[in-house]
Amino acid sequence: MTTAIYPGSFDPITNGHASILRSGLVAFDKIIVAVLNNDSKHPLFSVEERIDMIQESVVDMGADPARVEVDSFHGLLVDYVKSKNARVILRGLRAVADFEYELQMANMNRHLNDEVETVFIMANDAYFYVASNLCKEVTRLGGDVSKLVPRPVAPKLRAKLGM
Ligand SMILES: Nc1ncnc2c1ncn2[C@@H]1O[C@H](COP(=O)(O)OP(=O)(O)OP(=O)(O)O)[C@@H](O)[C@H]1O
Ligand SMILES: [Mg+2]
């Protein structure tokens, strides 16, 4: 059985993330969505809120809940991967913007632990430009992102931003 760890901020989960998760479930038996617990990024949602939204989104998208675990981690990602007895990190790749950063991270993680491999899935063209930051910014300015985030997320995003 191959388990992949899908790490990120997920602040909040978007349809871009959901699409990577759906594709990842074609390639892997189990995916652990791992929410990065890092206050220095000043997240909008708490780790608990982000985990809840991911779990609700997994149900909403009809994914097999037995194949998706939602967890949080802090510290070195490769140490977390090892603690889960996994060897694969799953990441999504959007346009050129992600490439340099992702290449750097994948190589650093390989340097730290060469038994762990990073696997990339190309972004779905429908969500190529979707990022959590942009969804928050647009909602804050009164725009509608309900087609860009999972159904359970849209009302929570508006409520959190007082819109
Ligand atoms: N729309 C998308 N399509 C494909 N992959 C994505 C998409 N959005 C994020 N990802 C990938 O998901 C992983 C986690 O990303 P992250 O939590 O930083 O989301 P983000 O949308 O980039 O958030 P932020 O805007 O806060 O940086 C990364 O590998 C990222 O490239
Ligand atoms: Mg990002």
Side-chain angles (χ1 to χ4, degrees):
M1 184 167 123
T2 314
T3 297
I5 309 289
Y6 182 24
S9 304
F10 304 102
D11 186 37
I13 182 172
T14 68
N15 283 344
H17 296 127
S19 138
I20 296 299
L21 183 58
R22 199 174 289 116
S23 301
L25 286 169
V26 175
F28 303 104
D29 300 304
K30 184 178 171 187
I31 294 183
I32 302 176
V33 183
V35 176
L36 175 64
N37 190 343
N38 178 4
D39 284 337
S40 72
K41 258 195 135 187
H42 302 293
L44 177 66
F45 293 96
S46 70
V47 169
E48 292 71 28
E49 288 172 321
R50 284 179 271 163
I51 289 177
D52 286 349
M53 282 187 283
I54 296 167
Q55 270 160 350
E56 288 171 35
S57 303
V58 167
V59 172
D60 188 68
M61 64 196 258
D64 180 355
R67 294 177 60 206
V68 184
E69 182 181 322
V70 188
D71 192 15
S72 67
F73 77 103
H74 60 268
L76 279 181
L77 175 59
V78 286
D79 291 344
Y80 174 73
V81 172
K82 213 169 136 189
S83 78
K84 292 303 221 177
N85 292 316
R87 293 184 60 180
V88 178
I89 296 169
L90 173 64
R91 297 286 285 177
L93 258 196
R94 286 161 298 192
V96 280
D98 281 334
F99 186 81
E100 201 173 332
Y101 175 72
E102 292 292 343
L103 179 68
Q104 198 174 15
M105 291 301 290
N107 277 306
M108 178 55 84
N109 285 328
R110 182 179 282 144
H111 170 76
L112 295 171
N113 186 338
D114 63 6
E115 291 182 348
V116 172
E117 279 300 330
T118 305
V119 169
F120 295 97
I121 291 178
M122 294 303 292
N124 184 317
D125 57 4
Y127 305 118
F128 215 75
Y129 299 100
V130 177
S132 298
N133 263 319
L134 206 51
C135 290
K136 286 182 277 192
E137 188 64 20
V138 167
T139 304
R140 201 174 274 129
L141 296 171
D144 177 21
V145 298
S146 56
K147 296 233 161 39
L148 306 180
V149 295
R151 230 173 323 183
V153 173
K156 290 187 172 129
L157 192 51
R158 281 196 300 272
K160 189 64 136 184
L161 291 167
M163 299 304 292

